[in-house]
Amino acid sequence: MQPLTEREIRSSFVNCSKGAAKRLPVPRNLDERPWDDLDFFGWTDPSMPGRAYFVVPQDDGAVGVLLRYETGGSGKTQMCSICLTTHSGGGVALLTAHKAGESGRRGNSIGTYMCTDLACPLYARGKKKPSMGTRYKEDLTPAEKAERVQTNIGAFVARLYE
């Protein structure tokens, strides 16, 4: 993934108002991110538990998505549907997003079970290990796992426009 600027990040959001995108907390250390290992850039809101964001590169520009989730977790081990990493406790949650456009303004949303730290690209590449969970042994290479992350996050983004 190519590095993003704060301006590019803020202008990429498709499921919130321009004012909300202007107010959301973009991480300050963008130049320190492992951009070469990211299929999408995700972060959580330190001032508002249960709110997260990600930006995905697309052919026609980046797409940013505001997400919400219940904090605390179920206490059960769950699997992320994006990278297939399992986490115990609150490491995976149902992250929901308002749909883009008029459908989202009417309150329609979509959701997927996802790592709450949004580090799926790093888990897929073996660059980050889940604290209490595991990754199932697979015969896929890290590049194939990264491709799966790209496919799964791309499918989620596509559903925003349905």
Side-chain angles (χ1 to χ4, degrees):
M1 178 173 181
Q2 294 296 315
L4 296 169
T5 65
E6 181 177 343
R7 184 179 188 157
E8 290 170 323
I9 290 169
R10 289 189 189 285
S11 66
S12 71
F13 282 85
V14 298
N15 69 335
C16 66
S17 69
K18 288 181 182 181
K22 190 180 283 190
R23 292 185 300 273
L24 63 85
V26 175
R28 298 200 187 282
N29 57 351
L30 293 175
D31 56 334
E32 298 171 14
R33 300 296 169 153
W35 295 104
D36 290 340
D37 293 323
L38 298 181
D39 305 300
F40 65 89
F41 174 53
W43 72 100
T44 57
D45 190 333
S47 64
M48 195 171 293
R51 185 163 298 178
Y53 315 90
F54 70 74
V55 179
V56 180
Q58 302 276 296
D59 291 338
D60 55 347
V63 173
V65 180
L66 183 148
L67 303 149
R68 291 193 166 94
Y69 64 97
E70 291 292 323
T71 59
S74 67
K76 298 178 182 177
T77 299
Q78 293 179 301
M79 181 183 285
C80 172
S81 62
I82 302 296
C83 65
L84 305 187
T85 300
T86 58
H87 296 271
S88 59
V92 171
L94 177 63
L95 276 71
T96 60
H98 282 289
K99 294 183 100 175
E102 182 59 32
S103 181
R105 287 189 287 277
R106 288 193 313 259
N108 294 320
S109 62
I110 61 170
T112 192
Y113 285 91
M114 196 169 176
C115 298
T116 55
D117 63 2
L118 299 161
C120 300
L122 301 178
Y123 291 125
R125 288 172 172 80
K127 305 275 181 167
K128 186 172 183 179
K129 303 278 188 237
S131 61
M132 300 277 297
T134 59
R135 291 217 23 104
Y136 287 103
K137 298 224 184 274
E138 297 181 281
D139 290 336
L140 299 177
T141 66
E144 290 169 325
K145 292 175 188 176
E147 186 176 323
R148 180 174 56 204
V149 167
Q150 293 168 10
T151 299
N152 291 342
I153 201 73
F156 181 80
V157 169
R159 289 177 45 216
L160 288 170
Y161 298 100
E162 293 176 346

